[in-house]
């Protein structure tokens, strides 16, 4: 997911350390919740879990105005607002608040995902021995990420979300939420997402994982103390991912065969720019952990399949696909709508998967309508 | 392009030398033509060019029964026939000859492309100083590749091809042929190809090039004497390319979320297999040179654009797209058909781009019909 547009030049120093927020960096608007140990779906307990989060508005006396926003793969808790010290990027969904989610009415919470690199416990965080988790960070699932968010909700005094909203990987959490905690979600809004990672989504992840894990600065995942980082591998992963986030039509009409003037094509420069930018702000270890978590996604697992899992859903499910999305093609959203006997909303966009971020007006209206009680 | 199907395990030894044929290896069915120096489109002359080729049938007395088959990116001159010493793979279009192109009637020629690694001069070939060309191999274009084929045709006594046939990158050459040599081609058959590399095609190549060129065994392109090869980088490139060659539908129905039993998904094992196999038989330096040649492809260059270039075409142009092809979407073939005022043929296939190889019956009939004089 990315809405960065201008193909600007940028360079990473060779060997520049990994991107991502580290304890001791300026916190920006982050708050932190210590959740203690978190039992994991694949077994074992991850100790001393911290979740970084950001909020807008206030929880009302009835505690029934809370909305959780779930970010996508390389997003974070900073849904809206400027960049600043400790916060490398402006909000990834800028404009959503206050226009479509008014903090006078809603208590909006966004948490950095478990396994991430913006203040929540992930592979770049310190393990109990004081060293980065690195390769010792356990495999986690989307359900583990939701369990961490539920523990955060407990701390915030939120028994039940008025809505859980997410797109792409965030949509996976928004879908798992009412399945794991049927009494804690009134409405789930699942945008440009799926009930399970498909063969092709897994296939696109394969060269991304291989690129990071074969980078000589990966060091088997334990590069944090080396002063180096698998910047090249993460950049390759980003180039692949970025093309899947957009549409053939957009790339053709926006870039065509335009030269960049330095021997590159404009579209190459554009991808180079996104590769460099991601490596500056994101941790490759988190990218690997979160990618594997997405691959694990299957709401039907241990629930008798997708239809069975969704047939008894207590929450209202609002499902929307982007018509030009080829990474999460609309048929995957249609399956969710059908299994939950709800309508399928279509966001019209020329941009592909990223349309869920770029078509703010359509998506914002959908969210605002979903919140009318 | 690849039609290999079973997900079989295979491993490359760490540091295994580059794939591809080398002078001194068993020749298999290859013949060799020394073409002397070849002037290049970007300037300069490539000295001592050799083109490896294979033939079926005989040139008739009128020399009017010659057909040229142009292979795709990782293909070679071995269109049909078994694997054997010096020939790592069976024919990539097995079945085309003799069923649809009978060597009793036709003199069929297939040349390994200039820049390739199966006996034609490429970056792994010896330069005049006895060392591999490596990083010194010049940037070449599709037009240079066609010029080399024209020089081969001169040697073979072929003034005019009854047909030049190619798919994907081979289709680029089949299209350039009658534009560069209007009097030397009766019919061009352009399958699953395009008049120019699109922004998205260039975009998909970007992480492939980055993966090879950032592999520590790439050595700036001069790895041939190191005893190592950028096997990991080439494997990453292949994984990316392979997904673009297939369709989302095929991957979903064939692999779904099936586990492989070793912690990988079946689709991951399938891509690993193709990555390993390509690294064993193909040279990474050729992959880079040929990828850049494809990016250069634009029949409208220096000809006033695509429509102008094709409007005066003397040859008959037979254009076919695969309906499920997302790498060379049918609209690109439609542009060719429209500009040359010919019909657009659609190959029906669930497989995506590789359908031009896999739907042999449809494609074979199209070729046989194109050859009826």
């Amino acid at each position: 997911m990315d809405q960065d547009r201008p193909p600007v030049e940028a360079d990473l120093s060779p060997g520049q350390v990994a991107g991502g927020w580290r304890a001791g960096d300026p916190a920006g608007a982050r708050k932190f919740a210590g959740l203690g140990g978190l039992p994991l779906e694949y077994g074992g307990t991850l100790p001393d879990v911290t979740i970084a989060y950001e909020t807008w508005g206030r929880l009302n006396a009835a505690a029934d105005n809370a909305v959780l926003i779930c970010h996508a793969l390389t997003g974070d808790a900073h849904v809206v607002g400027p960049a600043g010290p400790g916060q490398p990027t402006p909000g990834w969904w800028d404009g959503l608040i206050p226009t479509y989610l008014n903090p006078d009415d809603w208590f909006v919470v966004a948490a950095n995902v478990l396994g991430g690199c913006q203040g929540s416990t992930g592979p770049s965080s310190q393990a109990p021995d004081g060293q980065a988790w690195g390769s010792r960070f356990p495999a986690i699932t989307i359900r583990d990420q939701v369990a961490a968010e539920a523990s955060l909700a407990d701390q915030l005094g939120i028994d039940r979300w008025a809505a859980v909203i997410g797109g792409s990987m965030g949509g996976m959490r928004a879908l798992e939420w009412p399945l794991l905690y049927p009494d804690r979600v009134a409405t789930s809004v699942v945008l440009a997402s799926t009930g399970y990672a498909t063969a092709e989504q897994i296939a696109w992840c394969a060269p991304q994982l291989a690129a990071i894990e074969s980078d000589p600065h990966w060091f088997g995942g334990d590069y944090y103390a080396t002063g180096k980082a698998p910047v090249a591998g993460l950049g390759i992963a980003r180039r692949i991912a970025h093309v899947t986030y957009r549409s053939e039509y957009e790339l053709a009409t926006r870039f065509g065969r335009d030269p960049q003037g330095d021997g590159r094509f404009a579209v190459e420069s554009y991808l180079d720019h996104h590769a460099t930018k991601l490596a500056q702000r994101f941790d490759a270890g988190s990218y690997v952990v979160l990618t594997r978590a997405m691959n694990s996604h299957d709401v039907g697992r241990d629930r008798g399949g997708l239809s069975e899992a969704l047939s008894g859903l207590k929450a209202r499910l609002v499902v929307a696909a982007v018509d030009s999305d080829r990474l999460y093609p609309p048929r995957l959203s249609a399956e969710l709508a059908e299994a939950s006997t709800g309508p399928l909303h279509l966001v019209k966009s020329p941009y592909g998967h990223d349309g869920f971020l770029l078509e703010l007006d359509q998506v914002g209206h959908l969210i605002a309508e979903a919140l009318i009680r």
Side-chain angles (χ1 to χ4, degrees), chain A:
Chain A
M1 286 30 40
D2 205 295
Q3 47 186 337
D4 308 312
R5 283 165 237 192
V8 176
E9 300 313 305
D11 276 308
L12 278 184
S13 325
Q16 174 173 342
V17 296
W21 187 91
R22 296 289 185 285
D25 289 351
R30 288 175 191 77
K31 306 167 195 180
F32 302 91
L35 306 180
L38 186 78
L40 299 177
E41 186 181 357
Y42 293 155
T45 294
L46 186 64
D48 299 332
V49 169
T50 296
I51 290 292
Y53 65 101
E54 200 167 330
T55 64
W56 297 262
R58 288 184 167 197
L59 189 63
N60 63 15
D64 65 358
N65 71 330
V67 172
L68 179 65
I69 297 187
C70 302
H71 68 77
L73 175 59
T74 65
D76 56 30
H78 197 51
V79 179
V80 299
Q87 182 58 56
T89 46
W92 50 269
W93 223 348
D94 242 343
L96 187 73
I97 304 168
T99 308
Y100 301 98
L101 266 177
N102 191 333
D104 292 342
D105 299 325
W106 302 103
F107 178 53
V108 183
V109 178
N112 185 229
V113 74
L114 180 73
C117 59
Q118 290 296 335
S120 293
T121 298
S124 61
S125 307
Q126 279 187 11
D129 66 0
Q131 305 300 309
W133 276 102
S135 64
R136 303 172 298 168
F137 196 80
I140 59 173
T141 68
I142 301 294
R143 296 182 192 179
D144 293 326
Q145 296 170 334
V146 170
E149 289 168 353
S151 181
L152 172 66
D154 294 342
Q155 287 211 6
L156 297 177
I158 299 164
D159 280 344
R160 189 166 186 261
W161 299 102
V164 178
I165 301 166
S168 196
M169 187 184 86
M172 297 179 183
R173 300 205 295 294
L175 188 59
E176 274 289 352
W177 249 105
L179 292 167
L180 285 171
Y181 306 101
D183 298 321
R184 301 191 69 172
V185 181
T187 298
S188 268
V189 181
V190 177
L191 305 167
S193 194
T194 179
Y196 51 88
T198 65
E200 172 155 304
Q201 288 161 4
I202 295 167
W204 282 129
C205 290
Q208 297 184 49
L209 293 169
I212 294 170
E213 294 180 344
S214 67
D215 186 307
H217 294 161
W218 170 247
F219 293 108
D222 294 313
Y223 57 88
Y224 297 99
T226 65
K228 305 196 169 182
V231 162
L234 181 57
I236 292 164
R238 180 56 158 193
R239 288 180 183 88
I240 300 167
H242 197 85
V243 180
T244 68
Y245 299 156
R246 315 302 287 214
S247 70
E248 200 271 340
Y249 168 85
E250 188 213 357
L251 296 174
T253 52
R254 179 171 162 188
F255 297 109
R257 297 182 47 76
D258 292 350
Q260 176 71 8
D262 58 3
R264 291 180 296 172
F265 290 98
V267 70
E268 292 178 310
S269 167
Y270 167 74
L271 293 176
D272 289 350
H273 163 70
H274 281 288
T276 302
K277 253 187 50 173
L278 186 73
Q280 286 170 333
R281 72 174 175 84
F282 209 81
D283 172 55
S286 281
Y287 198 92
V288 166
V289 163
L290 299 181
T291 297
R292 292 232 158 84
M294 288 198 296
N295 281 351
S296 81
H297 177 58
D298 180 8
V299 296
R301 182 172 66 250
D302 303 330
R303 293 176 183 142
L306 181 132
S307 296
E308 178 78 11
L310 293 179
S311 62
L313 198 69
K314 287 177 73 173
R316 184 162 64 110
L317 194 60
V318 176
V319 180
V322 179
D323 58 0
S324 57
D325 190 340
R326 52 189 173 169
L327 185 59
Y328 293 80
R331 74 169 167 82
L332 299 171
S333 291
E335 288 179 14
L336 296 179
E338 191 177 346
S340 63
T341 66
L344 170 65
H345 301 271
L346 264 189
V347 174
K348 291 190 204 311
S349 177
Y351 294 111
H353 182 61
D354 272 356
F356 89 87
L357 294 167
L358 297 170
E359 305 296 348
L360 182 66
D361 191 50
Q362 293 178 64
V363 172
H365 275 104
L366 199 73
I367 289 171
E369 276 172 34
L371 281 162
I372 296 170
R373 286 170 291 188

